[in-house]
Amino acid sequence: MGKKIHYGWIIIFMGLVTTVAAHGFGRMAYTILLPAMQDGLHFDYTQLGLLGTANFIGYLSMAIIGGVLAARFGTRTIISSALLLMGITMILTGLAESFGFAFAMRLLTGLGNGSAFVPAMALGSAWFAVQKRGFATGIVSGGIGLGTFLSGIIVPFLLTSYGADGWRYSWYILGTIVMVIAVIVLLFLRNQPGDKGLLPVGQQEKEETQTVSSKNKVSSLDWKKVYRMKGMWYLGIVYFFYGLSYIIYMVFFAAYLVKEMGHTEAWAGGLWATVGGLSIFCGVLWGSISDRIGRGKGAALAYLVLGTSYIVYALLKFDAGFYLSAFLFGLTAWSIPTIMAAAAGDFVGPRLAPAGLGFITLFFGIGQSIGPALGGYLADVSHSFTLPFLIAGGISFVGMIFSFYLKKPIENF
């Protein structure tokens, strides 16, 4: 008989479908649905932007709190409940007639998104040994690209099939899929390897007995050590530079090609789809790299590639340059989140990993909030998107330098 598959791989698959639902359907689909919602609800761009802001506010607040809740009540309960909330509020978004109602639903969807995504990204830390943690987390983060890719296929089909009400049916159908995923996650997800009488994947018994047996000894107040640990603050600073830089590239990617370079929206959309397809696998790639060479060096290398992609986009103003930039970014898009999730587990241990990731996500969120305003201001002042992309590249290189000084934690849990 062949060797039985460790249940940890089923857990990681549950993490993958969670990120597909949380980010791909609950968050990324809005970009594609926005024009149709504008036509159907007659909102202006300020209102549509505020709907996106509502989703982000909900995401960021629960990304922090959700990690703590998962550490205390278990990832299974928090993730399945969060996905259920997302599914319901996505369906209700399809019923929206007023701005206030749509805003409230997008806010609630964001709350579910944050509370599902952060604990899901921490599953690799709970179920896999340190030397396999980055690889496992990379599989989970692949759901971001996969969900974005699937939204890009499903939503245009529904918009075409249902005409003026296509955006409503898109929310109905995507919300229903998310609710189904919530049930599947509830059935199959488990909080810790000990729940199944197992050790983490790739961990020797003598190394992990203490971790498994100490699971029930963790005080509900132990999460306070997350923000008392200097290393976690430094990790948050490293994550901040990613949030500040990558969002400039993502927000102004298509506008640069269409408004400044003269390409059609279809051409820009096709190039962005290429980025989405490539990014499905980048988490696994960079998670594995960080397993081999260390989180700090892995993050530094990722920042180098990301920064290069932004600068290439700014300076090589021809199609081959745009493709090269898209290729480099696609292969590195979710590298830093993957490495940060694995590093959080390295610092605070498997049980507190969701709380640790939630804490450093605050730094990422602050950077992501500043980035679009900074990039837009620089574009207005310089009358070009070249400067914002160059600044994004410079910020990424600063992140590379900080990553080099990221110290390896001493495991004491």
Side-chain angles (χ1 to χ4, degrees), residues 10 65 84 99 138 145 177 187 358 366:
I10 297 175
I65 302 171
L84 183 62
F99 172 74
I177 295 173
L187 291 174
I366 293 171

Side-chain angles (χ1 to χ4, degrees), residues 88-106:
I88 293 171
T89 54
M90 288 167 68
I91 291 172
L92 291 175
T93 301
L95 297 173
E97 296 289 350
S98 68
F99 172 74
F101 183 82
F103 185 92
M105 291 306 102
R106 293 305 293 153

Side-chain angles (χ1 to χ4, degrees), residues 11 40 280 328 358 386:
I11 294 295
I280 294 173
L328 291 173
T386 301

Side-chain angles (χ1 to χ4, degrees), residues 12-309:
I12 287 303
F13 181 74
M14 290 298 102
L16 172 69
V17 297
T18 295
T19 53
V20 166
H23 259 33
F25 295 165
R27 192 174 180 186
M28 302 299 187
Y30 178 65
T31 301
I32 310 170
L33 286 167
L34 188 149
M37 289 183 69
Q38 182 185 35
D39 293 339
L41 295 171
H42 307 293
F43 291 168
D44 57 31
Y45 282 111
T46 299
Q47 290 174 309
L48 291 166
L50 285 171
L51 292 184
T53 299
N55 185 258
F56 177 72
I57 291 171
Y59 167 78
L60 181 58
S61 60
M62 286 309 296
I64 302 163
I65 302 171
V68 175
L69 293 176
R72 183 166 185 176
F73 298 107
T75 53
R76 182 188 183 201
T77 299
I78 298 303
I79 291 177
S80 56
S81 299
L83 290 177
L84 183 62
L85 173 64
M86 283 189 67
I88 293 171
T89 54
M90 288 167 68
I91 291 172
L92 291 175
T93 301
L95 297 173
E97 296 289 350
S98 68
F99 172 74
F101 183 82
F103 185 92
M105 291 306 102
R106 293 305 293 153
L107 178 66
L108 290 172
T109 300
L111 290 173
N113 185 358
S115 4
F117 178 72
V118 169
M121 287 293 288
L123 287 171
S125 293
W127 282 83
F128 283 74
V130 173
Q131 66 270 22
K132 293 180 177 292
R133 196 169 282 167
F135 176 79
T137 306
I139 295 175
V140 177
S141 72
I144 306 172
L146 180 58
T148 304
F149 180 75
L150 291 175
S151 293
I153 296 174
I154 296 171
V155 172
F157 172 77
L158 294 174
L159 291 175
T160 302
S161 300
Y162 291 99
D165 286 330
W167 68 270
R168 296 187 185 275
Y169 282 94
S170 295
W171 284 123
Y172 299 155
I173 292 171
L174 290 177
T176 301
I177 295 173
V178 171
M179 291 179 70
V180 171
I181 291 174
V183 174
I184 293 172
V185 168
L186 179 64
L187 291 174
F188 291 98
L189 191 62
R190 296 295 181 270
N191 297 324
Q192 300 283 339
D195 295 347
K196 298 287 289 184
L198 299 169
L199 300 172
V201 177
Q203 197 77 32
Q204 297 299 317
E205 186 171 0
K206 63 180 180 180
E207 296 175 293
E208 195 59 26
T209 301
Q210 182 180 355
T211 301
V212 175
S213 63
S214 65
K215 187 188 82 170
N216 296 322
K217 297 179 182 179
V218 179
S219 166
S220 61
L221 298 178
D222 275 357
W223 61 267
K224 288 183 179 179
K225 79 176 185 180
V226 170
Y227 62 79
R228 290 173 177 169
M229 189 179 296
K230 291 182 179 179
M232 291 300 292
W233 285 84
Y234 193 86
L235 200 62
I237 293 171
V238 172
Y239 206 5
F240 166 81
F241 294 114
Y242 172 77
L244 182 59
S245 57
Y246 99 102
I247 197 66
I248 294 175
Y249 183 81
M250 287 191 67
V251 167
F252 300 110
F253 181 90
Y256 173 60
L257 293 175
V258 176
K259 301 295 184 181
E260 190 169 332
M261 293 294 102
H263 282 288
T264 64
E265 291 182 353
W267 194 89
L271 188 59
W272 188 243
T274 301
V275 171
L278 288 169
S279 72
I280 294 173
F281 308 101
C282 76
V284 173
L285 172 66
W286 288 97
S288 298
I289 290 173
S290 77
D291 285 338
R292 289 179 176 272
I293 68 175
R295 311 298 181 212
K297 291 180 180 177
L301 183 59
Y303 267 126
L304 174 63
V305 178
L306 286 168
T308 301
S309 74

